[in-house]
């Protein structure tokens, strides 16, 4: 068996298409190849879930920050395009039709917006100054019985 036969054809097509890219979009292409969707449409839905941030916890918008999808609108769109390519390879869809697919998300849903903070009426206090560490105790001089032991344990020369 030659190396090209070790991976499914869909994965090979993703590798060939995205091999020279700086960001590893082939990973998202392969996610499209190996998506659980049984149809082209289901595969596209999975690409949307993979590539766009959504809250991880129901009704907790802040939890979208811990979603593992790309965060910026341009990265989400590129992720979606790569994933759709994988779906196209999986279902043997013509490249022209794959190129026509657009995400069904509006731009304002592409990323999580930072929570707006009301301006504070007064400047915040300066951070506390660190307190210096106390000086270390001097190292005790070894006793005659300690000289053959090269340990710094509290109970020298014991196995306890």
């Amino acid at each position: 068996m030659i190396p090209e036969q070790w991976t499914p054809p869909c994965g090979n097509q993703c590798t060939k298409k995205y091999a020279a890219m700086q960001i590893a979009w082939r990973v998202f292409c392969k996610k499209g190849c190996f998506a659980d969707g049984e149809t082209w449409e289901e595969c596209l839905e999975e690409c949307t879930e993979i590539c766009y941030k959504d809250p991880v916890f129901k009704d907790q918008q802040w939890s979208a920050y811990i979603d593992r999808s790309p965060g910026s609108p341009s990265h989400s769109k590129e992720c979606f395009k790569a994933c759709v390519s994988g779906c196209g390879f999986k279902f043997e869809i013509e490249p022209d039709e794959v190129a026509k697919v657009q995400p069904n998300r509006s731009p304002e849903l592409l990323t999580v917006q930072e929570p707006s903070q009301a301006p504070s009426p007064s400047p915040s206090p300066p951070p506390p100054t660190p307190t210096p560490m106390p000086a270390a105790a001097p190292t005790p001089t070894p006793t005659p019985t300690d000289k053959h032991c090269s340990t710094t344990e509290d109970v020298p020369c014991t196995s306890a």
Side-chain angles (χ1 to χ4, degrees):
M1 183 181 271
I2 55 177
E4 293 84 32
Q5 296 172 331
W6 293 347
T7 58
C10 184
N12 282 338
Q13 290 170 313
C14 287
T15 300
K16 287 177 187 172
K17 182 172 182 174
Y18 292 101
M21 303 299 280
Q22 193 170 22
I23 297 176
W25 297 118
R26 74 173 173 267
V27 171
F28 295 104
C29 180
K30 289 181 179 184
K31 286 180 184 281
C33 280
F34 304 119
D36 292 333
E38 304 264 333
T39 65
W40 165 248
E41 290 78 18
E42 289 175 359
C43 193
L44 296 179
E45 288 174 21
E46 287 192 41
C47 289
T48 300
E49 288 176 22
I50 291 169
C51 295
Y52 293 98
K53 288 195 173 291
D54 286 314
V56 175
F57 304 117
K58 185 178 180 180
D59 299 327
Q60 301 291 323
Q61 185 61 34
W62 65 268
S63 68
Y65 285 106
I66 58 177
D67 185 319
R68 295 179 63 192
S69 58
S72 73
S74 63
H75 284 164
S76 290
K77 189 171 183 175
E78 288 300 318
C79 168
F80 183 79
K81 286 169 55 176
C83 185
V84 168
S85 292
C87 291
F89 295 141
K90 177 180 181 177
F91 293 104
E92 299 177 355
I93 306 293
E94 290 296 320
D96 293 340
E97 188 174 336
V98 171
K100 292 178 189 174
V101 175
Q102 295 296 315
N104 60 1
R105 302 282 294 249
S106 62
E108 57 271 1
L109 295 176
L110 295 178
T111 59
V112 177
Q113 300 297 321
E114 291 286 333
S116 60
Q117 296 179 0
S120 58
S122 63
S124 59
T129 45
T131 56
M133 298 269 306
T139 307
T141 54
T143 63
T145 58
D146 289 341
K147 286 185 182 178
H148 68 279
C149 248
S150 63
T151 180
T152 58
E153 297 175 350
D154 290 341
V155 184
C157 297
T158 64
S159 61

